[in-house]
Amino acid sequence: MFYNNRRILFLPAVISFIIALLLVLKFSFPISWDVYYHIHMADLYMSNGLVFWDYLTVAPAGRLIMYPPLFHLFLAGISCITGLSLKDVCVLLEPFFTFILVGIITYMAYRLFDNVKYGFFTGLFSMICFATFNRGVICTPATITMAFMIICCVMFYMGFNDNKLKYVLISAVSLGLIANLHMATFIITCGVIGLYAVVQLIRGKINIKYLLVFIIVSCIIALPWWIYVEIKYGLFFNSLGGNPLRFDEFLAKYFGIIPTIFMIIGVYFLLKKRSEKSLFLLLWAFSIVCVSQVVYFGVQTVSIRILEISAYPLVFIAGYGFMQVIGKITNKNYKKIVIILLLIYATSTSMAYTDSYTPELLTPDENDIMILPDSIHMVLDPVGSTYKPSIISSRYGNSTLAHDRYDVMEWFTNNTDHKIAVCEDSILDTIIVSTSRTPVIYGGFTESIPEYVVDPIHIIENHSTVNELHDLNIEYLVLNHDTPIPFYAKCVYENSNYKICKINI
């Protein structure tokens, strides 16, 4: 049949590339707010070389840069070579990131079972699943890290199961690269392969020599940056807990109803088969799921981000479940019809996801009018159309808000005097600092913001003192439109969502 040809493995990635490209053509600013933080970091390296301290996103004291530099140096290098702005580089990379992520999912699934059908089905489910496809259209180190995590885990399993050193080396190199891209994913990946290694060690089914090679190679690649930072500055990780998210809620809102159905079927057949692959896939997926739920035991963590990582092995299980169902259909024509319907549904659903994307910024001549009518969105993505979930980027967003954020960004770009700004909207913090180099009190990712940093809320709520504002060199407040203006500030610009106020001291 047509899906037995290995060339079909490229189809999900190619379709995803085209869909992501349509998003780029629809908007000139199709990037999420957190991409602006990475633009800022790349710009910092381009302007100052390889530095370890950022004085702009946590002004005035600054903070240790706890994000490894590999991705930002990559962006800076492409910008220097091509002459494109960092924003344009991120925009143009998005379709390629989508192609890489979906392509890696498809190919690694194929390699895991040595089965073209399984790889093809898994690739299609990665397009249907909101959590996995949504990540693919965002140009961040986390996107590439997800691809390396899949390579690392699958190659680790294959290397030790097939006793092949080259797979072990590929896994070790992938883990080292993850450590230089995204530390949170590195920790989770270490947990997964560590748990699997311990289980296999107890069962006496692991090559100790290969395990030592894996540890040594991955450490050589992963640790130099972090050892240097630890020796010179000391490591810290100030993780702020997010709202708890139950696993069943994640499946309904972010993973998808259809992928969930086939994931459950896949779990059933994996348990029934009780193979080495069953053990590997179930440990990979549900060890991460269990970690995401520790928030209910009082442990501070961000459930949604951990569950997002679990979506990738869960997609592998969903693809396996679909393959088992297809195998039960004896009529070849019925099989073709079901597979073609899955292909059409995967393409349509991923198009609906990109069509509902609303950037955090929209220029005055842009709008977020959806190409597909609401009725089609309701059919293709009923849960998303109803609950409008968002992991990173906005979905079904407010175009007025996006326009007003653009206006605030433009104001600071044209009026910056490099005095510190305090923003009530945390998204604007990152956008302002990355576009105008205006220092902000609390910008960027919170995980590496030191505990000593000034909490901006009391400044916004009129609880600060004039001496404090003077000592911090704060000049501007960016408030939501319905927030009262503190007595020590006056409004210099406003639109329907925001007020920019200047401090009077």
Side-chain angles (χ1 to χ4, degrees):
M1 294 180 71
F2 70 93
Y3 55 79
N4 286 322
N5 191 318
R6 287 200 349 180
R7 286 179 293 183
I8 201 70
L9 291 170
F10 293 101
L11 188 57
V14 170
I15 294 174
S16 299
F17 175 88
I18 295 171
I19 291 171
L21 186 61
L22 293 175
L23 176 65
V24 172
L25 297 175
K26 181 179 178 182
F27 297 116
S28 63
F29 271 93
I31 53 179
S32 175
W33 72 268
D34 62 327
V35 177
Y36 283 95
Y37 176 77
H38 299 297
I39 289 174
H40 161 67
M41 292 305 304
D43 181 59
L44 193 66
Y45 291 135
M46 289 177 68
S47 304
N48 302 283
L50 188 60
V51 294
F52 294 84
W53 205 262
D54 179 13
Y55 290 98
L56 294 180
T57 58
V58 181
R63 62 168 163 178
L64 175 66
I65 297 171
M66 287 289 289
Y67 227 104
L70 184 59
F71 181 78
H72 307 117
L73 295 175
F74 169 71
L75 290 183
I78 294 180
S79 179
C80 290
I81 292 171
T82 61
L84 297 171
S85 69
L86 288 167
K87 181 189 78 68
D88 289 339
V89 169
C90 289
V91 170
L92 294 175
L93 281 176
E94 284 178 347
F96 294 97
F97 274 36
T98 311
F99 178 88
I100 291 170
L101 185 57
V102 175
I104 290 296
I105 292 171
T106 305
Y107 184 72
M108 284 294 106
Y110 155 69
R111 290 302 304 271
L112 182 62
F113 279 87
D114 194 24
N115 189 306
V116 173
K117 292 181 291 186
Y118 173 64
F120 178 63
F121 298 152
T122 305
L124 293 181
F125 272 99
S126 74
M127 296 170 63
I128 296 171
C129 173
F130 173 78
T132 53
F133 191 82
N134 178 75
R135 168 58 65 187
V137 296
I138 304 173
C139 180
T140 66
T143 303
I144 294 300
T145 304
M146 292 301 106
F148 280 121
M149 179 197 72
I150 294 166
I151 295 172
C152 177
C153 291
V154 172
M155 289 290 106
F156 188 86
Y157 164 78
M158 292 180 63
F160 287 99
N161 189 68
D162 300 340
N163 206 34
K164 291 188 177 180
L165 181 59
K166 67 177 181 179
Y167 294 158
V168 174
L169 291 174
I170 293 172
S171 178
V173 171
S174 299
L175 184 63
L177 291 173
I178 292 171
N180 288 283
L181 287 166
H182 197 262
M183 180 51 69
T185 306
F186 172 74
I187 294 170
I188 292 174
T189 307
C190 285
V192 170
I193 60 178
L195 176 62
Y196 179 72
V198 168
V199 170
Q200 294 298 81
L201 191 62
I202 293 172
R203 299 173 70 202
K205 293 187 175 183
I206 198 163
N207 188 319
I208 302 297
K209 291 181 180 179
Y210 283 6
L211 185 60
L212 290 175
V213 170
F214 174 85
I215 294 172
I216 292 169
V217 172
S218 58
C219 285
I220 289 173
I221 299 172
L223 295 184
W225 167 267
W226 296 106
I227 290 174
Y228 178 82
V229 171
E230 167 62 23
I231 292 173
K232 190 167 183 179
Y233 301 99
L235 295 174
F236 63 89
F237 193 76
N238 182 24
S239 180
L240 302 180
N243 294 326
L245 182 69
R246 295 197 317 271
F247 181 48
D248 60 311
E249 291 181 289
F250 170 78
L251 293 177
K253 294 182 180 180
Y254 294 95
F255 192 70
I257 301 300
I258 291 178
T260 296
I261 292 171
F262 285 101
M263 182 270 293
I264 294 171
I265 295 172
V267 169
Y268 169 77
F269 280 104
L270 286 172
L271 290 172
K272 185 178 179 180
K273 192 171 184 180
R274 298 186 180 217
S275 66
E276 291 295 323
K277 290 187 181 71
S278 299
L279 173 65
F280 165 69
L281 281 173
L282 293 173
L283 272 179
W284 181 13
F286 291 101
S287 62
I288 302 176
V289 170
C290 289
V291 170
S292 73
Q293 301 301 286
V294 297
V295 66
Y296 290 101
F297 297 95
V299 180
Q300 290 292 310
T301 187
V302 184
S303 302
I304 181 61
R305 297 301 299 270
I306 300 175
L307 284 168
E308 181 193 0
I309 296 173
S310 75
Y312 296 89
L314 290 173
V315 159
F316 274 64
I317 296 174
Y320 182 77
F322 185 82
M323 185 173 70
Q324 296 302 312
V325 172
I326 282 294
K328 303 295 182 184
I329 300 175
T330 56
N331 187 298
K332 291 185 178 180
N333 289 328
Y334 289 166
K335 278 188 179 182
K336 289 181 180 179
I337 291 172
V338 172
I339 293 168
I340 291 172
L341 288 175
L342 179 69
L343 175 61
I344 293 172
Y345 184 72
T347 303
S348 303
T349 303
S350 53
M351 284 185 65
Y353 291 154
T354 57
D355 192 36
S356 64
Y357 183 110
T358 300
E360 268 74 29
L361 296 178
L362 285 172
T363 60
D365 57 342
E366 288 182 313
N367 59 67
D368 67 338
I369 295 174
M370 292 187 293
I371 298 173
L372 301 174
D374 289 339
S375 57
I376 299 297
H377 277 274
M378 186 60 70
V379 171
L380 296 174
D381 183 26
V383 175
S385 300
T386 304
Y387 293 101
K388 301 176 175 52
S390 174
I391 295 178
I392 302 297
S393 56
S394 298
R395 299 284 161 173
Y396 305 93
N398 185 334
S399 60
T400 302
L401 179 61
H403 286 301
D404 286 351
R405 282 178 177 151
Y406 181 86
D407 291 340
V408 172
M409 181 203 75
E410 283 284 282
W411 191 93
F412 275 98
T413 301
N414 296 327
N415 296 279
T416 184
D417 52 10
H418 301 293
K419 297 292 182 66
I420 296 173
V422 178
C423 300
E424 187 173 6
D425 182 347
S426 59
I427 288 176
L428 270 174
D429 267 337
T430 308
I431 292 173
I432 288 170
V433 74
S434 66
T435 54
S436 67
R437 295 189 179 178
T438 298
V440 296
I441 284 285
Y442 213 67
F445 294 103
T446 60
E447 288 88 347
S448 58
I449 292 179
E451 294 180 356
Y452 64 76
V453 170
V454 173
D455 181 0
I457 299 300
H458 76 285
I459 298 173
I460 291 166
E461 294 181 349
N462 206 16
H463 298 153
S464 184
T465 65
V466 172
N467 287 336
E468 179 189 9
L469 298 172
H470 183 269
D471 292 343
L472 291 172
N473 197 29
I474 293 174
E475 187 80 9
Y476 301 103
L477 301 179
V478 181
L479 307 175
N480 294 333
H481 195 267
D482 57 354
T483 300
I485 300 174
F487 71 90
Y488 40 72
K490 67 175 181 179
C491 182
V492 294
Y493 170 82
E494 65 179 315
N495 55 37
S496 58
N497 280 284
Y498 299 104
K499 294 179 288 197
I500 301 175
C501 303
K502 193 168 185 177
I503 302 296
N504 289 320
I505 53 176

